[in-house]
Amino acid sequence: MTRSLPLHCKTLIQALLSRGPLKENECYSIVVQVLGQSPGKNAFNQYVLDINEKLAYVQLELRKCHNQYDGDVYYGVVNNVADEPSKLGTKYSAPQIAYYKGIIEAIVRDTAGQGSISNTSALNIRLENQILNGIESQSQGYSSQIPTAFRNFTMTQKDKTLEEFVRDQWLCSTSDGKIGLGVRSFLDLRSWFHNNEAPICEFCNEAAVKSELCQNEGCNVRLHLFCLKKKFSQRKVARVCPGCKTEWRPLADLETNREEDDSHAPQTTQQQSSRKKRRPSQPNIIPEASSCGSSLPDTKRVTRSSSRRMGAA
């Protein structure tokens, strides 16, 4: 497979496999170093297409994603066949994988677009919920179905596992004790986000884990900050919500608030922006285990106000 790839393409793949996801400018620099000259943006994009044509034979993909906390573009090699637990299974134990799944579910269920949970909330996630999903919790003897390794997964083990996930870029850690998704999650969990009905960005159609929300409480439109900038930088584009047409908060105000709250920046290379605090509401999604897939499900639109009414019912 790699014999037919040019040297600079092989070098890039080897770097990504050994070092993990890299920023776009780092990938570009690798190609420049091997070629001895700048290939130009169009040529670089063609290299990515050529690489993916070869990698398709082994069910791998050189994928691009945005780090939703700072907008930086990353590239990484992902497995298009294995499900999410399998992607972590070669290094992590079953309790650790269940713990990771509980964390990402908690983060995605957030209806305020913060894209993070507190460290305390992460440590208090119960692993047995991943085992008992779909099992009636009140049924007699249900606790016997929980493996001992799950019941005995201590706070110390959780804390150590969190450090491993941050180091391996599956999660990111913020300076104020918040836990967010890492670049690997944004690269590898695209199918999981779609299958579990995660909220999407109205501009790019990708999961809007860390995002800005429409000012209208009756509307559930979300946009990544970097998508907001791209959308509203276009000429003759009205600065209104693409869903309800409510005037969108000026970008200058968003940036000001983020600068005032810069203590939320991740301690890793990722940089999380500050979030506008909103009134808490009931989650409008309930992730469930499902098979991998790339298509976005056709789901009924649920607004934040309607989700609160359902929660109060």
Side-chain angles (χ1 to χ4, degrees), residues 220-249:
N220 69 343
V221 165
R222 296 189 183 203
L223 289 167
H224 301 124
L225 181 61
F226 47 88
C227 286
L228 269 174
K229 293 179 179 179
K230 186 174 182 180
K231 176 180 176 63
F232 292 153
S233 65
Q234 300 175 12
R235 292 183 178 181
K236 299 181 180 180
V237 173
R239 296 177 181 273
V240 297
C241 171
C244 68
K245 306 306 178 183
T246 299
E247 183 178 0
W248 204 278
R249 186 180 177 192

PDB file of all heavy atoms in Angstrom, residues 220-249:
ATOM      1  N   ASN A 220     -33.152  25.938  18.938  1.00  0.00           N
ATOM      2  CA  ASN A 220     -32.013  25.120  19.355  1.00  0.00           C
ATOM      3  C   ASN A 220     -30.851  25.164  18.361  1.00  0.00           C
ATOM      4  O   ASN A 220     -30.003  24.273  18.348  1.00  0.00           O
ATOM      5  CB  ASN A 220     -32.441  23.669  19.595  1.00  0.00           C
ATOM      6  CG  ASN A 220     -32.821  22.958  18.310  1.00  0.00           C
ATOM      7  OD1 ASN A 220     -33.067  23.588  17.278  1.00  0.00           O
ATOM      8  ND2 ASN A 220     -32.867  21.636  18.349  1.00  0.00           N
ATOM      9  N   VAL A 221     -30.800  26.197  17.518  1.00  0.00           N
ATOM     10  CA  VAL A 221     -29.708  26.317  16.550  1.00  0.00           C
ATOM     11  C   VAL A 221     -28.388  26.560  17.265  1.00  0.00           C
ATOM     12  O   VAL A 221     -28.301  27.354  18.202  1.00  0.00           O
ATOM     13  CB  VAL A 221     -29.991  27.465  15.555  1.00  0.00           C
ATOM     14  CG1 VAL A 221     -28.725  27.846  14.793  1.00  0.00           C
ATOM     15  CG2 VAL A 221     -31.072  27.040  14.576  1.00  0.00           C
ATOM     16  N   ARG A 222     -27.356  25.850  16.797  1.00  0.00           N
ATOM     17  CA  ARG A 222     -25.996  26.020  17.314  1.00  0.00           C
ATOM     18  C   ARG A 222     -25.044  26.286  16.156  1.00  0.00           C
ATOM     19  O   ARG A 222     -25.244  25.783  15.058  1.00  0.00           O
ATOM     20  CB  ARG A 222     -25.512  24.765  18.053  1.00  0.00           C
ATOM     21  CG  ARG A 222     -26.274  24.401  19.305  1.00  0.00           C
ATOM     22  CD  ARG A 222     -25.557  23.287  20.035  1.00  0.00           C
ATOM     23  NE  ARG A 222     -26.264  22.839  21.220  1.00  0.00           N
ATOM     24  CZ  ARG A 222     -25.684  22.212  22.249  1.00  0.00           C
ATOM     25  NH1 ARG A 222     -24.379  21.970  22.206  1.00  0.00           N
ATOM     26  NH2 ARG A 222     -26.383  21.830  23.281  1.00  0.00           N
ATOM     27  N   LEU A 223     -24.016  27.065  16.434  1.00  0.00           N
ATOM     28  CA  LEU A 223     -22.961  27.323  15.458  1.00  0.00           C
ATOM     29  C   LEU A 223     -21.623  27.351  16.178  1.00  0.00           C
ATOM     30  O   LEU A 223     -21.498  27.944  17.257  1.00  0.00           O
ATOM     31  CB  LEU A 223     -23.184  28.674  14.763  1.00  0.00           C
ATOM     32  CG  LEU A 223     -24.353  28.791  13.781  1.00  0.00           C
ATOM     33  CD1 LEU A 223     -24.615  30.255  13.450  1.00  0.00           C
ATOM     34  CD2 LEU A 223     -24.070  28.014  12.507  1.00  0.00           C
ATOM     35  N   HIS A 224     -20.619  26.662  15.599  1.00  0.00           N
ATOM     36  CA  HIS A 224     -19.265  26.806  16.124  1.00  0.00           C
ATOM     37  C   HIS A 224     -18.836  28.261  15.983  1.00  0.00           C
ATOM     38  O   HIS A 224     -19.261  28.952  15.052  1.00  0.00           O
ATOM     39  CB  HIS A 224     -18.279  25.926  15.341  1.00  0.00           C
ATOM     40  CG  HIS A 224     -18.615  24.473  15.361  1.00  0.00           C
ATOM     41  ND1 HIS A 224     -18.802  23.736  14.204  1.00  0.00           N
ATOM     42  CD2 HIS A 224     -18.805  23.610  16.394  1.00  0.00           C
ATOM     43  CE1 HIS A 224     -19.073  22.484  14.524  1.00  0.00           C
ATOM     44  NE2 HIS A 224     -19.083  22.380  15.841  1.00  0.00           N
ATOM     45  N   LEU A 225     -17.989  28.724  16.868  1.00  0.00           N
ATOM     46  CA  LEU A 225     -17.520  30.102  16.769  1.00  0.00           C
ATOM     47  C   LEU A 225     -16.774  30.327  15.458  1.00  0.00           C
ATOM     48  O   LEU A 225     -16.957  31.354  14.794  1.00  0.00           O
ATOM     49  CB  LEU A 225     -16.606  30.451  17.947  1.00  0.00           C
ATOM     50  CG  LEU A 225     -16.072  31.885  17.960  1.00  0.00           C
ATOM     51  CD1 LEU A 225     -17.209  32.893  18.052  1.00  0.00           C
ATOM     52  CD2 LEU A 225     -15.085  32.092  19.102  1.00  0.00           C
ATOM     53  N   PHE A 226     -15.957  29.352  15.032  1.00  0.00           N
ATOM     54  CA  PHE A 226     -15.209  29.514  13.787  1.00  0.00           C
ATOM     55  C   PHE A 226     -16.140  29.476  12.580  1.00  0.00           C
ATOM     56  O   PHE A 226     -15.854  30.089  11.553  1.00  0.00           O
ATOM     57  CB  PHE A 226     -14.098  28.462  13.656  1.00  0.00           C
ATOM     58  CG  PHE A 226     -14.524  27.040  13.951  1.00  0.00           C
ATOM     59  CD1 PHE A 226     -15.045  26.227  12.961  1.00  0.00           C
ATOM     60  CD2 PHE A 226     -14.358  26.516  15.223  1.00  0.00           C
ATOM     61  CE1 PHE A 226     -15.422  24.922  13.220  1.00  0.00           C
ATOM     62  CE2 PHE A 226     -14.731  25.204  15.505  1.00  0.00           C
ATOM     63  CZ  PHE A 226     -15.269  24.403  14.508  1.00  0.00           C
ATOM     64  N   CYS A 227     -17.267  28.769  12.707  1.00  0.00           N
ATOM     65  CA  CYS A 227     -18.250  28.765  11.626  1.00  0.00           C
ATOM     66  C   CYS A 227     -19.012  30.093  11.594  1.00  0.00           C
ATOM     67  O   CYS A 227     -19.363  30.585  10.515  1.00  0.00           O
ATOM     68  CB  CYS A 227     -19.235  27.611  11.800  1.00  0.00           C
ATOM     69  SG  CYS A 227     -18.533  25.980  11.413  1.00  0.00           S
ATOM     70  N   LEU A 228     -19.261  30.656  12.773  1.00  0.00           N
ATOM     71  CA  LEU A 228     -19.895  31.972  12.841  1.00  0.00           C
ATOM     72  C   LEU A 228     -19.067  32.999  12.099  1.00  0.00           C
ATOM     73  O   LEU A 228     -19.579  33.793  11.307  1.00  0.00           O
ATOM     74  CB  LEU A 228     -20.051  32.396  14.299  1.00  0.00           C
ATOM     75  CG  LEU A 228     -21.340  32.032  15.030  1.00  0.00           C
ATOM     76  CD1 LEU A 228     -21.238  32.409  16.494  1.00  0.00           C
ATOM     77  CD2 LEU A 228     -22.533  32.706  14.389  1.00  0.00           C
ATOM     78  N   LYS A 229     -17.766  32.989  12.363  1.00  0.00           N
ATOM     79  CA  LYS A 229     -16.873  33.947  11.716  1.00  0.00           C
ATOM     80  C   LYS A 229     -16.890  33.769  10.203  1.00  0.00           C
ATOM     81  O   LYS A 229     -16.944  34.746   9.454  1.00  0.00           O
ATOM     82  CB  LYS A 229     -15.451  33.774  12.254  1.00  0.00           C
ATOM     83  CG  LYS A 229     -15.289  34.161  13.713  1.00  0.00           C
ATOM     84  CD  LYS A 229     -13.859  33.930  14.170  1.00  0.00           C
ATOM     85  CE  LYS A 229     -13.673  34.341  15.612  1.00  0.00           C
ATOM     86  NZ  LYS A 229     -12.289  34.093  16.089  1.00  0.00           N
ATOM     87  N   LYS A 230     -16.848  32.509   9.771  1.00  0.00           N
ATOM     88  CA  LYS A 230     -16.825  32.242   8.343  1.00  0.00           C
ATOM     89  C   LYS A 230     -18.145  32.636   7.689  1.00  0.00           C
ATOM     90  O   LYS A 230     -18.169  33.239   6.607  1.00  0.00           O
ATOM     91  CB  LYS A 230     -16.537  30.762   8.098  1.00  0.00           C
ATOM     92  CG  LYS A 230     -16.342  30.400   6.633  1.00  0.00           C
ATOM     93  CD  LYS A 230     -15.916  28.944   6.490  1.00  0.00           C
ATOM     94  CE  LYS A 230     -15.673  28.592   5.031  1.00  0.00           C
ATOM     95  NZ  LYS A 230     -15.251  27.171   4.880  1.00  0.00           N
ATOM     96  N   LYS A 231     -19.248  32.331   8.357  1.00  0.00           N
ATOM     97  CA  LYS A 231     -20.567  32.621   7.800  1.00  0.00           C
ATOM     98  C   LYS A 231     -20.795  34.127   7.689  1.00  0.00           C
ATOM     99  O   LYS A 231     -21.206  34.635   6.637  1.00  0.00           O
ATOM    100  CB  LYS A 231     -21.649  31.990   8.676  1.00  0.00           C
ATOM    101  CG  LYS A 231     -23.078  32.324   8.240  1.00  0.00           C
ATOM    102  CD  LYS A 231     -24.076  31.645   9.163  1.00  0.00           C
ATOM    103  CE  LYS A 231     -25.502  32.045   8.815  1.00  0.00           C
ATOM    104  NZ  LYS A 231     -25.885  31.610   7.453  1.00  0.00           N
ATOM    105  N   PHE A 232     -20.525  34.846   8.771  1.00  0.00           N
ATOM    106  CA  PHE A 232     -20.838  36.271   8.799  1.00  0.00           C
ATOM    107  C   PHE A 232     -19.778  37.141   8.129  1.00  0.00           C
ATOM    108  O   PHE A 232     -19.957  38.346   8.006  1.00  0.00           O
ATOM    109  CB  PHE A 232     -21.060  36.732  10.239  1.00  0.00           C
ATOM    110  CG  PHE A 232     -22.296  36.163  10.874  1.00  0.00           C
ATOM    111  CD1 PHE A 232     -22.389  35.987  12.247  1.00  0.00           C
ATOM    112  CD2 PHE A 232     -23.383  35.778  10.091  1.00  0.00           C
ATOM    113  CE1 PHE A 232     -23.523  35.460  12.827  1.00  0.00           C
ATOM    114  CE2 PHE A 232     -24.527  35.238  10.665  1.00  0.00           C
ATOM    115  CZ  PHE A 232     -24.598  35.081  12.038  1.00  0.00           C
ATOM    116  N   SER A 233     -18.676  36.518   7.721  1.00  0.00           N
ATOM    117  CA  SER A 233     -17.675  37.277   6.974  1.00  0.00           C
ATOM    118  C   SER A 233     -18.043  37.376   5.489  1.00  0.00           C
ATOM    119  O   SER A 233     -17.455  38.169   4.747  1.00  0.00           O
ATOM    120  CB  SER A 233     -16.293  36.623   7.114  1.00  0.00           C
ATOM    121  OG  SER A 233     -16.277  35.341   6.503  1.00  0.00           O
ATOM    122  N   GLN A 234     -19.001  36.570   5.071  1.00  0.00           N
ATOM    123  CA  GLN A 234     -19.442  36.602   3.683  1.00  0.00           C
ATOM    124  C   GLN A 234     -20.273  37.857   3.423  1.00  0.00           C
ATOM    125  O   GLN A 234     -21.042  38.298   4.281  1.00  0.00           O
ATOM    126  CB  GLN A 234     -20.291  35.357   3.366  1.00  0.00           C
ATOM    127  CG  GLN A 234     -19.546  34.045   3.567  1.00  0.00           C
ATOM    128  CD  GLN A 234     -20.454  32.848   3.371  1.00  0.00           C
ATOM    129  OE1 GLN A 234     -21.567  32.963   2.882  1.00  0.00           O
ATOM    130  NE2 GLN A 234     -19.976  31.671   3.750  1.00  0.00           N
ATOM    131  N   ARG A 235     -20.082  38.411   2.268  1.00  0.00           N
ATOM    132  CA  ARG A 235     -20.820  39.619   1.903  1.00  0.00           C
ATOM    133  C   ARG A 235     -22.315  39.325   1.760  1.00  0.00           C
ATOM    134  O   ARG A 235     -22.713  38.258   1.316  1.00  0.00           O
ATOM    135  CB  ARG A 235     -20.288  40.192   0.593  1.00  0.00           C
ATOM    136  CG  ARG A 235     -18.871  40.755   0.698  1.00  0.00           C
ATOM    137  CD  ARG A 235     -18.457  41.379  -0.628  1.00  0.00           C
ATOM    138  NE  ARG A 235     -17.119  41.976  -0.537  1.00  0.00           N
ATOM    139  CZ  ARG A 235     -16.530  42.611  -1.550  1.00  0.00           C
ATOM    140  NH1 ARG A 235     -17.160  42.718  -2.719  1.00  0.00           N
ATOM    141  NH2 ARG A 235     -15.318  43.122  -1.400  1.00  0.00           N
ATOM    142  N   LYS A 236     -23.099  40.311   2.139  1.00  0.00           N
ATOM    143  CA  LYS A 236     -24.558  40.273   1.997  1.00  0.00           C
ATOM    144  C   LYS A 236     -25.210  39.140   2.787  1.00  0.00           C
ATOM    145  O   LYS A 236     -26.330  38.725   2.470  1.00  0.00           O
ATOM    146  CB  LYS A 236     -24.952  40.159   0.513  1.00  0.00           C
ATOM    147  CG  LYS A 236     -24.472  41.321  -0.346  1.00  0.00           C
ATOM    148  CD  LYS A 236     -24.930  41.134  -1.789  1.00  0.00           C
ATOM    149  CE  LYS A 236     -24.456  42.301  -2.656  1.00  0.00           C
ATOM    150  NZ  LYS A 236     -24.892  42.150  -4.069  1.00  0.00           N
ATOM    151  N   VAL A 237     -24.501  38.625   3.812  1.00  0.00           N
ATOM    152  CA  VAL A 237     -25.101  37.607   4.671  1.00  0.00           C
ATOM    153  C   VAL A 237     -25.617  38.290   5.935  1.00  0.00           C
ATOM    154  O   VAL A 237     -24.857  38.919   6.670  1.00  0.00           O
ATOM    155  CB  VAL A 237     -24.080  36.524   5.056  1.00  0.00           C
ATOM    156  CG1 VAL A 237     -24.674  35.571   6.092  1.00  0.00           C
ATOM    157  CG2 VAL A 237     -23.662  35.748   3.815  1.00  0.00           C
ATOM    158  N   ALA A 238     -26.915  38.178   6.176  1.00  0.00           N
ATOM    159  CA  ALA A 238     -27.519  38.810   7.344  1.00  0.00           C
ATOM    160  C   ALA A 238     -27.025  38.136   8.617  1.00  0.00           C
ATOM    161  O   ALA A 238     -26.924  36.911   8.677  1.00  0.00           O
ATOM    162  CB  ALA A 238     -29.038  38.727   7.246  1.00  0.00           C
ATOM    163  N   ARG A 239     -26.733  38.932   9.632  1.00  0.00           N
ATOM    164  CA  ARG A 239     -26.247  38.400  10.910  1.00  0.00           C
ATOM    165  C   ARG A 239     -27.436  37.967  11.773  1.00  0.00           C
ATOM    166  O   ARG A 239     -27.713  38.564  12.812  1.00  0.00           O
ATOM    167  CB  ARG A 239     -25.397  39.430  11.623  1.00  0.00           C
ATOM    168  CG  ARG A 239     -24.126  39.782  10.881  1.00  0.00           C
ATOM    169  CD  ARG A 239     -23.342  40.864  11.605  1.00  0.00           C
ATOM    170  NE  ARG A 239     -22.137  41.204  10.866  1.00  0.00           N
ATOM    171  CZ  ARG A 239     -20.963  40.583  10.981  1.00  0.00           C
ATOM    172  NH1 ARG A 239     -20.846  39.583  11.831  1.00  0.00           N
ATOM    173  NH2 ARG A 239     -19.924  40.940  10.273  1.00  0.00           N
ATOM    174  N   VAL A 240     -28.124  36.954  11.291  1.00  0.00           N
ATOM    175  CA  VAL A 240     -29.295  36.439  11.994  1.00  0.00           C
ATOM    176  C   VAL A 240     -29.185  34.925  12.102  1.00  0.00           C
ATOM    177  O   VAL A 240     -28.428  34.275  11.383  1.00  0.00           O
ATOM    178  CB  VAL A 240     -30.606  36.816  11.271  1.00  0.00           C
ATOM    179  CG1 VAL A 240     -30.788  38.327  11.239  1.00  0.00           C
ATOM    180  CG2 VAL A 240     -30.639  36.230   9.863  1.00  0.00           C
ATOM    181  N   CYS A 241     -29.961  34.371  13.009  1.00  0.00           N
ATOM    182  CA  CYS A 241     -29.997  32.919  13.183  1.00  0.00           C
ATOM    183  C   CYS A 241     -30.526  32.271  11.906  1.00  0.00           C
ATOM    184  O   CYS A 241     -31.562  32.697  11.380  1.00  0.00           O
ATOM    185  CB  CYS A 241     -30.891  32.567  14.366  1.00  0.00           C
ATOM    186  SG  CYS A 241     -31.219  30.800  14.534  1.00  0.00           S
ATOM    187  N   PRO A 242     -29.846  31.258  11.389  1.00  0.00           N
ATOM    188  CA  PRO A 242     -30.331  30.590  10.171  1.00  0.00           C
ATOM    189  C   PRO A 242     -31.623  29.823  10.379  1.00  0.00           C
ATOM    190  O   PRO A 242     -32.269  29.425   9.412  1.00  0.00           O
ATOM    191  CB  PRO A 242     -29.182  29.639   9.814  1.00  0.00           C
ATOM    192  CG  PRO A 242     -28.449  29.416  11.093  1.00  0.00           C
ATOM    193  CD  PRO A 242     -28.567  30.701  11.867  1.00  0.00           C
ATOM    194  N   GLY A 243     -32.024  29.638  11.643  1.00  0.00           N
ATOM    195  CA  GLY A 243     -33.261  28.920  11.901  1.00  0.00           C
ATOM    196  C   GLY A 243     -34.452  29.819  12.125  1.00  0.00           C
ATOM    197  O   GLY A 243     -35.426  29.787  11.369  1.00  0.00           O
ATOM    198  N   CYS A 244     -34.377  30.693  13.152  1.00  0.00           N
ATOM    199  CA  CYS A 244     -35.524  31.532  13.517  1.00  0.00           C
ATOM    200  C   CYS A 244     -35.384  32.977  13.079  1.00  0.00           C
ATOM    201  O   CYS A 244     -36.287  33.781  13.291  1.00  0.00           O
ATOM    202  CB  CYS A 244     -35.748  31.470  15.030  1.00  0.00           C
ATOM    203  SG  CYS A 244     -34.434  32.263  16.004  1.00  0.00           S
ATOM    204  N   LYS A 245     -34.227  33.333  12.508  1.00  0.00           N
ATOM    205  CA  LYS A 245     -33.951  34.681  11.994  1.00  0.00           C
ATOM    206  C   LYS A 245     -33.799  35.732  13.097  1.00  0.00           C
ATOM    207  O   LYS A 245     -33.833  36.930  12.818  1.00  0.00           O
ATOM    208  CB  LYS A 245     -35.045  35.135  11.012  1.00  0.00           C
ATOM    209  CG  LYS A 245     -35.289  34.157   9.866  1.00  0.00           C
ATOM    210  CD  LYS A 245     -34.002  33.827   9.118  1.00  0.00           C
ATOM    211  CE  LYS A 245     -34.247  32.818   8.010  1.00  0.00           C
ATOM    212  NZ  LYS A 245     -32.983  32.421   7.322  1.00  0.00           N
ATOM    213  N   THR A 246     -33.616  35.290  14.335  1.00  0.00           N
ATOM    214  CA  THR A 246     -33.323  36.235  15.415  1.00  0.00           C
ATOM    215  C   THR A 246     -31.937  36.832  15.193  1.00  0.00           C
ATOM    216  O   THR A 246     -31.014  36.127  14.781  1.00  0.00           O
ATOM    217  CB  THR A 246     -33.362  35.519  16.777  1.00  0.00           C
ATOM    218  OG1 THR A 246     -34.660  34.988  16.996  1.00  0.00           O
ATOM    219  CG2 THR A 246     -33.001  36.472  17.912  1.00  0.00           C
ATOM    220  N   GLU A 247     -31.783  38.123  15.479  1.00  0.00           N
ATOM    221  CA  GLU A 247     -30.480  38.764  15.300  1.00  0.00           C
ATOM    222  C   GLU A 247     -29.452  38.077  16.175  1.00  0.00           C
ATOM    223  O   GLU A 247     -29.668  37.859  17.362  1.00  0.00           O
ATOM    224  CB  GLU A 247     -30.563  40.249  15.661  1.00  0.00           C
ATOM    225  CG  GLU A 247     -29.255  41.000  15.420  1.00  0.00           C
ATOM    226  CD  GLU A 247     -29.354  42.472  15.720  1.00  0.00           C
ATOM    227  OE1 GLU A 247     -30.455  42.913  16.130  1.00  0.00           O
ATOM    228  OE2 GLU A 247     -28.347  43.187  15.557  1.00  0.00           O
ATOM    229  N   TRP A 248     -28.333  37.719  15.543  1.00  0.00           N
ATOM    230  CA  TRP A 248     -27.283  37.000  16.283  1.00  0.00           C
ATOM    231  C   TRP A 248     -26.421  37.984  17.048  1.00  0.00           C
ATOM    232  O   TRP A 248     -26.186  39.095  16.597  1.00  0.00           O
ATOM    233  CB  TRP A 248     -26.415  36.176  15.328  1.00  0.00           C
ATOM    234  CG  TRP A 248     -25.753  35.023  16.038  1.00  0.00           C
ATOM    235  CD1 TRP A 248     -24.612  35.069  16.777  1.00  0.00           C
ATOM    236  CD2 TRP A 248     -26.220  33.677  16.120  1.00  0.00           C
ATOM    237  NE1 TRP A 248     -24.326  33.829  17.312  1.00  0.00           N
ATOM    238  CE2 TRP A 248     -25.304  32.956  16.916  1.00  0.00           C
ATOM    239  CE3 TRP A 248     -27.319  33.001  15.579  1.00  0.00           C
ATOM    240  CZ2 TRP A 248     -25.448  31.605  17.197  1.00  0.00           C
ATOM    241  CZ3 TRP A 248     -27.473  31.652  15.855  1.00  0.00           C
ATOM    242  CH2 TRP A 248     -26.542  30.960  16.653  1.00  0.00           C
ATOM    243  N   ARG A 249     -25.991  37.544  18.188  1.00  0.00           N
ATOM    244  CA  ARG A 249     -25.114  38.360  19.024  1.00  0.00           C
ATOM    245  C   ARG A 249     -23.865  38.751  18.242  1.00  0.00           C
ATOM    246  O   ARG A 249     -23.240  37.894  17.606  1.00  0.00           O
ATOM    247  CB  ARG A 249     -24.728  37.554  20.258  1.00  0.00           C
ATOM    248  CG  ARG A 249     -23.945  38.313  21.300  1.00  0.00           C
ATOM    249  CD  ARG A 249     -23.651  37.357  22.430  1.00  0.00           C
ATOM    250  NE  ARG A 249     -22.839  37.978  23.462  1.00  0.00           N
ATOM    251  CZ  ARG A 249     -22.264  37.283  24.440  1.00  0.00           C
ATOM    252  NH1 ARG A 249     -22.410  35.978  24.484  1.00  0.00           N
ATOM    253  NH2 ARG A 249     -21.548  37.904  25.356  1.00  0.00           N
TER     254      ARG A 249
END
